[in-house]
Amino acid sequence: MTEPIKEPKVEDIKTAAEEKACPVQKALYFVTEFLSGPMCGRCFPCAMGSYEARIRLQNLVEGKGVDADIRALKRIATDMIEASFCKKGKDTGKFILDWMATDVYQEHAEGSCPDMQCASLIEYRIIPEKCTICGDCKDVCKDLAIFGEKKQPYKSGYFPFEIRQKRCTRCGECIKVCPVEAIVLVAANAKKPVGV
Ligand code: SF4
Ligand code: SF4
Ligand code: SF4
């Protein structure tokens, strides 16, 4: 006999989603988990809306979000609250809409994650004025994203240490090992160079 498919409980999804720091990631997690269970499809706003909401939220988290995504999310969530037959659909709409009372969706559409959690919207950068050219960050970077030369007593004219953003996977290991706090986490849309 085949085991019945276990449907995730809305309260459990909500608790797990709340553990995420970024509200857009919370909503994305909530909708993704909601969709991972069986979809009964009895009402259109929930059945279609939750799929579209996931795409729109994904856009915002990945730094591809625009104002149209926010407008669509508002419409979807409102429709789900008003027209869903069951609590599950209404709760999902409410979860999305609650966070819209803040500016956090808008900030994502403008290219920044205020909680510094969305990898596409943040960058690790080295402050050249603080860097002591020790090379510890380069040694720890598994993605070979840090370029530069260690200080050598007999040599002058070093290549300064710098992070190549296209290679960086935002793992955060370099910031942990820098002995002089020369590496900072900034919004990807912040103007370069970073200050001291
Ligand atoms: S709101 Fe409830 S009843 Fe309607 S499609 Fe979604 S899960 Fe089914
Ligand atoms: S955040 Fe990770 S991948 Fe990016 S430069 Fe630092 S150690 Fe390398
Ligand atoms: S660990 Fe810090 S001080 Fe050392 S090279 Fe990297 S950024 Fe510069």
Side-chain angles (χ1 to χ4, degrees), residues 3 16 23 34 53 106 133 150-152 169 171 174 190 196:
E3 289 277 317
F34 173 65
Q106 190 60 46
I133 325 174
K150 279 188 195 180
K151 201 171 195 171
Q152 292 174 38
T169 55
C171 71
C174 54
V196 287

Side-chain angles (χ1 to χ4, degrees), residues 66-103:
V66 292
D67 287 349
D69 290 311
I70 299 171
R71 285 197 299 276
L73 282 164
K74 200 167 192 171
R75 167 182 51 77
I76 292 164
T78 307
D79 287 352
M80 283 176 82
I81 294 167
E82 283 174 7
S84 288
F85 292 158
C86 77
K87 186 174 180 311
K88 195 173 150 187
K90 287 186 188 296
D91 278 1
T92 305
K94 193 167 178 318
F95 198 86
I96 298 170
L97 208 58
D98 278 353
W99 284 105
M100 287 201 164
T102 69
D103 290 333

Side-chain angles (χ1 to χ4, degrees), residues 36-55:
S36 72
M39 167 60 72
C40 73
R42 281 197 292 146
C43 33
F44 185 72
C46 168
M48 296 305 292
S50 46
Y51 280 101
E52 188 183 342
R54 183 172 57 180
I55 294 166

Side-chain angles (χ1 to χ4, degrees), residues 146-196:
I146 302 181
F147 289 73
E149 282 182 326
K150 279 188 195 180
K151 201 171 195 171
Q152 292 174 38
Y154 52 87
K155 218 177 144 191
S156 62
Y158 316 102
F159 284 115
F161 279 82
E162 114 181 63
I163 295 173
R164 301 279 164 90
Q165 299 303 329
K166 281 190 178 161
R167 281 178 173 248
C168 175
T169 55
R170 298 3 177 209
C171 71
E173 290 305 311
C174 54
I175 207 167
K176 291 182 202 162
V177 299
C178 179
V180 292
E181 297 180 353
I183 303 178
V184 288
L185 185 55
V186 297
N189 65 356
K191 286 194 182 102
K192 296 182 185 186
V194 288
V196 287

